[in-house]
Amino acid sequence: MKSTFFVVVCVVLVIFLGICEGGSLRKHFYKHSCPEAESIINTKIQQHVSANPNLPAKLLRLHFHDCFVRGCDASVLLVSTANNSAEKDSIPNLTLSGFEVINDIKDALEAICPKTVSCADILTLAARDSVSVQFKKPLWEVVTGRRDGNVSNKNEVFGNIPSPFFNFTQLKQNFASKGLTLHDLVVLSGAHTIGVGHCNLLRNRLYNFTGKGDQDPSLDTRYAAFLKRKCQSGDITTTVDMDPGSPTNFNTDYYPNLLQKKGLFSSDAALLRQQQSADIVKELVDEGKFFLEFAQSMKRLGAIGVLTGSAGEIRNDCSVVNS
Ligand code: HEM
Ligand SMILES: *[C@@H]1O[C@H](CO)[C@@H](O)[C@H](O)[C@H]1NC(C)=O
Ligand SMILES: *[C@@H]1O[C@H](CO)[C@@H](O)[C@H](O)[C@H]1NC(C)=O
Ligand SMILES: *[C@@H]1O[C@H](CO)[C@@H](O)[C@H](O)[C@H]1NC(C)=O
Ligand SMILES: *[C@@H]1O[C@H](CO)[C@@H](O)[C@H](O)[C@H]1NC(C)=O
Ligand SMILES: *[C@@H]1O[C@H](CO)[C@@H](O)[C@H](O)[C@H]1NC(C)=O
């Protein structure tokens, strides 16, 4: 009885939300089909991160952008074709990178077990492993069995990837539309403890907040002065660290920074605009708590809209659909 009920609930959920599909992912999906897959990905990532300490930020953001558009199906990795402008060619892609690392891993995997490991799983594992290098152990669990999509559309990025100019309500709605909670929003925003942002995204906050040549009052004045020295008004190329104290160290610094009004984007500052959200920010200052919660939210992020079973395909080349 109970199981029939659950199946019915699941079918209904699949129809309306597509949520239950995450249930088909499992630990070590490639245990028999490609036993070395996870260790090869890990070894490759260790090498790439030692050559480029900024890589964890790149891959973590790439994974997030993949999952928020059409689910975690590696659609973000596809290149545009004569007839189609892909996600990576939309404006918010700005500075996505790390594509060549994923392609390098895919080449290594194709050499030992061709047509077996999906690009979506490679990206998910690579994001986890790169962030985990500094800890010498995996920071969160990744279940596998994702398959690759065959559609990537530039026009789908704007409606799905949250903007750094979003207010609290918009952020909450955006995450809710992906089946993620307010708690996930605050926890996952902690990813901004690593990496950089471009000056053009700060122009309003620093130089013209209400159209009167003013500054965002929710930004610490000394920090604003520091940012202004880095970012001249018309600058669109310079980047600034999102966590100025430790830009390549994955830690909880995002939250104390935020509480000191040193969050970089309006979307960061917005998390303090509502009581429940501000309370979560305060809790996550605790490192043990943040790592625990981040691990759980990353699992939910990695399960958004996944293709499993016989849906989708296993791409031969991560940057183009199979012909
Ligand atoms: C909550 C809504 C979010 C907004 C509005 C947002 C916005 C942004 C923006 C505008 C940048 C800077 C891009 C650039 O100028 O190059 C950025 C960088 C980044 N974001 Fe987010 N983000 C959000 C959530 C997330 C999540 C959920 C993750 C991952 C779990 C994430 C991970 C990153 C990382 C690692 C970077 C640094 C990338 C680099 O160094 O190249 N962000 N984000
Ligand atoms: C683009 O579309 C045209 C007409 O629909 C088709 O003939 C052509 O083969 C397509 N090209 C590619 C690269 O898919
Ligand atoms: C992002 O899109 C622009 C066009 O809007 C394109 O010129 C650029 O190459 C894209 N960046 C990446 C990393 O694909
Ligand atoms: C993508 O895959 C679906 C389902 O497998 C198929 O019906 C569709 O024709 C494919 N689209 C492209 C552009 O290859
Ligand atoms: C958030 O932004 C939306 C869209 O611009 C706007 O309609 C809404 O009133 C804003 N909410 C708050 C609380 O400022
Ligand atoms: C500030 O914004 C207002 C309204 O959007 C605009 O008219 C004005 O030119 C801007 N000033 C500067 C210095 O960018």
Side-chain angles (χ1 to χ4, degrees):
M1 250 329 262
K2 256 190 184 157
S3 65
T4 323
F5 175 70
F6 186 70
V7 167
V8 170
V9 169
C10 235
V11 166
V12 170
L13 281 177
V14 165
I15 291 169
F16 287 105
L17 296 166
I19 279 181
C20 286
E21 291 202 44
S24 322
L25 299 176
R26 60 176 193 261
K27 281 189 202 176
H28 308 300
F29 181 85
Y30 303 104
K31 187 162 65 184
H32 301 296
S33 59
C34 190
E36 302 300 308
E38 293 195 22
S39 65
I40 288 174
I41 294 171
N42 189 260
T43 306
K44 281 273 180 192
I45 287 294
Q46 304 281 338
Q47 292 162 359
H48 283 287
V49 172
S50 25
N52 174 10
N54 302 315
L55 186 61
K58 307 299 175 200
L59 293 178
L60 186 55
R61 182 164 178 244
L62 199 54
H63 175 49
F64 163 53
H65 277 226
D66 182 31
C67 294
F68 265 49
V69 185
R70 289 188 167 268
C72 315
D73 69 342
S75 54
V76 73
L77 304 177
L78 293 171
V79 295
S80 295
T81 61
N83 291 336
N84 182 58
S85 290
E87 287 169 28
K88 71 190 293 221
D89 285 325
S90 80
I91 302 291
N93 79 359
L94 270 172
T95 44
L96 287 179
S97 63
F99 298 98
E100 61 302 330
V101 170
I102 301 300
N103 291 336
D104 177 51
I105 294 172
K106 177 66 169 172
D107 289 347
L109 291 175
E110 285 303 293
I112 58 155
C113 23
K115 305 181 195 301
T116 305
V117 185
S118 72
C119 299
D121 277 340
I122 294 174
L123 177 53
T124 309
L125 287 161
R128 190 271 310 269
D129 287 353
S130 63
V131 172
S132 303
V133 168
Q134 73 174 94
F135 300 97
K136 300 189 169 66
K137 61 167 198 229
L139 209 51
W140 61 91
E141 181 183 81
V142 168
V143 284
T144 41
R146 291 169 194 76
R147 291 171 60 89
D148 300 324
N150 63 358
V151 176
S152 178
N153 188 336
K154 172 180 172 152
N155 300 322
E156 290 178 348
V157 174
F158 258 110
N160 287 290
I161 297 295
S163 148
F165 306 110
F166 271 8
N167 62 30
F168 176 78
T169 316
Q170 293 170 302
L171 290 170
K172 200 178 157 197
Q173 271 167 8
N174 173 260
F175 270 59
S177 75
K178 305 295 166 195
L180 298 178
T181 63
L182 167 63
H183 199 261
D184 293 314
L185 165 64
V186 181
V187 169
L188 291 175
S189 293
H192 289 176
T193 177
I194 50 173
V196 296
H198 279 72
C199 284
N200 55 317
L201 304 173
L202 301 175
R203 187 160 51 216
N204 287 10
R205 288 197 94 189
L206 298 178
Y207 294 104
N208 204 0
F209 191 60
T210 63
K212 295 176 193 146
D214 52 346
Q215 194 170 295
D216 183 346
S218 72
L219 188 60
D220 175 80
T221 44
R222 276 173 57 195
Y223 189 50
F226 163 82
L227 290 173
K228 279 175 155 172
R229 284 196 296 278
K230 299 225 155 195
C231 294
Q232 303 301 311
S233 176
D235 185 344
I236 59 166
T237 51
T238 307
T239 58
V240 290
D241 295 333
M242 291 196 286
D243 171 358
S246 52
T248 57
N249 188 1
F250 192 90
N251 55 30
T252 68
D253 285 1
Y254 176 76
Y255 300 98
N257 286 345
L258 200 54
L259 290 167
Q260 293 167 40
K261 299 165 78 171
K262 293 177 184 166
L264 193 63
F265 300 125
S266 293
S267 56
D268 296 310
L271 300 178
L272 297 175
R273 289 276 161 167
Q274 193 253 10
Q275 190 60 50
Q276 197 190 349
S277 170
D279 287 345
I280 302 171
V281 169
K282 285 176 204 144
E283 279 176 33
L284 295 172
V285 169
D286 179 303
E287 185 154 282
K289 184 140 208 180
F290 170 61
F291 285 161
L292 198 76
E293 301 289 344
F294 194 77
Q296 292 174 359
S297 291
M298 283 306 294
K299 267 193 92 171
R300 283 195 282 277
L301 174 69
I304 295 174
V306 291
L307 302 169
T308 55
S310 58
E313 62 184 22
I314 303 295
R315 249 175 247 158
N316 302 325
D317 171 343
C318 289
S319 55
V320 294
V321 299
N322 294 343
S323 48

